[in-house]
Amino acid sequence: MTDEEIQTRMALAQTGEQWIALYKDVFGKEPEMSGLNWGEYPIDKIIDAIEVKKPFKDETLPKGADA
């Protein structure tokens, strides 16, 4: 995607699903989640990753930790 296309999609994104879809289109994969965040994706991390054009990798759970 071009920078212009990304900016246009960012301006139009209003729901979590739209941000996740944009993340997938930009990086070619789903956001990596560790299980520390239950429920919805942390949209602020997704938005930041798209803005700086660098996918994030969520923290991994320590060995033996129960999620």
Side-chain angles (χ1 to χ4, degrees):
M1 295 183 77
T2 67
D3 287 343
E4 186 176 317
E5 290 171 326
I6 293 170
Q7 292 300 318
T8 300
R9 293 266 307 271
M10 288 179 73
L12 296 173
Q14 295 182 4
T15 67
E17 291 82 18
Q18 290 171 327
W19 284 108
I20 293 168
L22 178 54
Y23 186 98
K24 288 182 205 176
D25 290 344
V26 170
F27 301 117
K29 62 181 180 176
E30 294 233 3
E32 293 183 32
M33 303 303 297
S34 67
L36 293 175
N37 295 309
W38 289 86
E40 294 189 33
Y41 285 100
I43 297 303
D44 55 332
K45 282 187 168 185
I46 292 172
I47 293 169
D48 290 344
I50 294 168
E51 286 178 340
V52 298
K53 296 177 183 68
K54 183 177 178 186
F56 73 89
K57 184 171 183 179
D58 214 5
E59 297 175 18
T60 57
L61 291 173
K63 273 190 168 181
D66 292 328

